[in-house]
Amino acid sequence: MSTTSLVEKNSVSSGRRWLIFAGIILIAINLRAAITSVGPLIGIIRDDTGISNTLAGMLTTLPLLAFALLSPMAPAMARKWGLETTLLLSMVLLMFGIGIRSLSSPVTLLLGTAFLGMAIAVGNVLLPSLVKRDFPRQIGLMTGTYSASMNLLAAVASGVSIPLATQAGLGWQGALLVWGILAVIATAVWVIEWRSSDRKAEIRSEQGKAPNVLRSSLTWYVTFFMGLQSFTFYVNVSWMPEILRSQGMDYSGAGWMLSILQFVSIPFSFIIPVLAGRNPNQRLLVSISAICMLAGYLGLLFGLTSLNVLWVILVGISGGANFSLSLMFFTLRTRTAQEAAALSGVAQSLGYLLAAVGPMLIGFLHDMTTGWKVPLMILSAVVVLLFLFGMGAAKPGYLKVRGEQE
């Protein structure tokens, strides 16, 4: 019996599908909340701890660097220890990271941020592989469900951080520590799953030579699509309020616009994977998404301020679609869970390195030109590249690995 058949047979006959489903969703809601809850609190954290603006900026940059560093290692961990064990350990590390980050010390603040970034990196990489292994016939539905859950909690976390810190009286420490509750719940569920799984059989089935996905041109299409969509996301989160303020909007209005941008992405991060899973060719979805984002950036570039809500909504819709499509490509363009993990590791490692450049580059261009026209022109060009790489990633087919010819 082949490796893939063994894994799929074991997952179907185990009777643990609902438990695994709950575990997937609980991991998903932990993959963004601990990060997006920090942004609104940075000023309070900086003033309370006395750290510099540079170190304060590291609170959002460190997780991205951790994603880039650990993502390629996650598939090897899963092959050695099994998916269940690796994901359980990542949740334990996430709890630890959130806990020590909430201590009132610059050292523990940064150290905890690094630890939680490493934990989230493992979940980012291995969830698509877990979906492909245990839900091979519901890939679109499962990917849509967990990506929408991830985006929903990300938006909620950024929205309630200030009320938790000030109105609820928790301070910034308590407002960040609250998200550890989700990690505790996820860990508890994964302990149950870990104890009920046949870990030895799983490890045997996953061991073997790692797929050499770097030789496939399709890997690079998926990688750059992943990286460029992340580039636009982190630029939007970092600079969209400032872009809108430069066009006459006040602080409150610009903040609400950022919330709208995140919330409108949620239904599309669910719908798009379901549609993508029903058709071997996703080029139409890539095209529509690129048109929406390009229209949004061009509307802001040409200063059509009376329609700013529309431009923000278009960018948000495209952001949700692009994110979920990048997750779908990890599973749709691979034959096995092992290949999905390998592709996910490479794409997320290099992709998040590219994403980490985004906010700094756009901020630098703004400083150099004292305006937002050049940054918006660059973002429009990024969308064109995103479209081109997306068309390559969306073409029907699978990775060519282990000496296969392209």
Side-chain angles (χ1 to χ4, degrees), residues 233-257:
F233 172 79
Y234 286 101
V235 167
N236 292 337
V237 170
S238 300
W239 295 117
M240 184 62 75
E242 290 299 311
I243 293 172
L244 295 170
R245 284 191 62 245
S246 72
Q247 298 184 353
M249 193 169 291
D250 59 23
Y251 277 105
S252 177
W256 275 111
M257 285 291 208

Side-chain angles (χ1 to χ4, degrees), residues 23 54 57 71 93 104 151 159 196 198 261 307 329 331 347 379-380 384 396:
T54 300
S71 290
L93 182 61
S104 298
N151 287 336
S196 65
D198 185 354
L261 184 146
L307 295 175
F329 289 148
T331 52
L379 285 170
S380 299
V384 174

Side-chain angles (χ1 to χ4, degrees), residues 167-239:
Q167 298 172 21
L170 298 180
W172 67 265
Q173 297 96 331
L176 294 182
L177 189 60
V178 159
W179 304 106
I181 297 173
L182 296 178
V184 171
I185 296 171
T187 301
V189 170
W190 276 97
V191 167
I192 298 171
E193 162 60 16
W194 179 78
R195 293 182 66 180
S196 65
S197 65
D198 185 354
R199 296 184 296 281
K200 291 182 180 179
E202 180 198 355
I203 292 170
R204 285 197 303 270
S205 70
E206 291 186 352
Q207 284 177 341
K209 186 177 179 181
N212 187 358
V213 299
L214 293 175
R215 293 185 178 182
S216 176
S217 61
L218 184 52
T219 295
W220 299 104
Y221 286 123
V222 174
T223 295
F224 279 103
F225 185 83
M226 172 70 195
L228 291 169
Q229 69 83 23
S230 295
F231 182 105
T232 61
F233 172 79
Y234 286 101
V235 167
N236 292 337
V237 170
S238 300
W239 295 117

Side-chain angles (χ1 to χ4, degrees), residues 126-150:
L126 296 184
L127 274 194
S129 177
L130 185 63
V131 168
K132 189 166 187 70
R133 189 196 74 179
D134 290 332
F135 299 91
R137 290 184 171 85
Q138 298 90 26
I139 287 175
L141 179 63
M142 286 298 301
T143 302
T145 301
Y146 90 71
S147 62
S149 302
M150 189 189 311

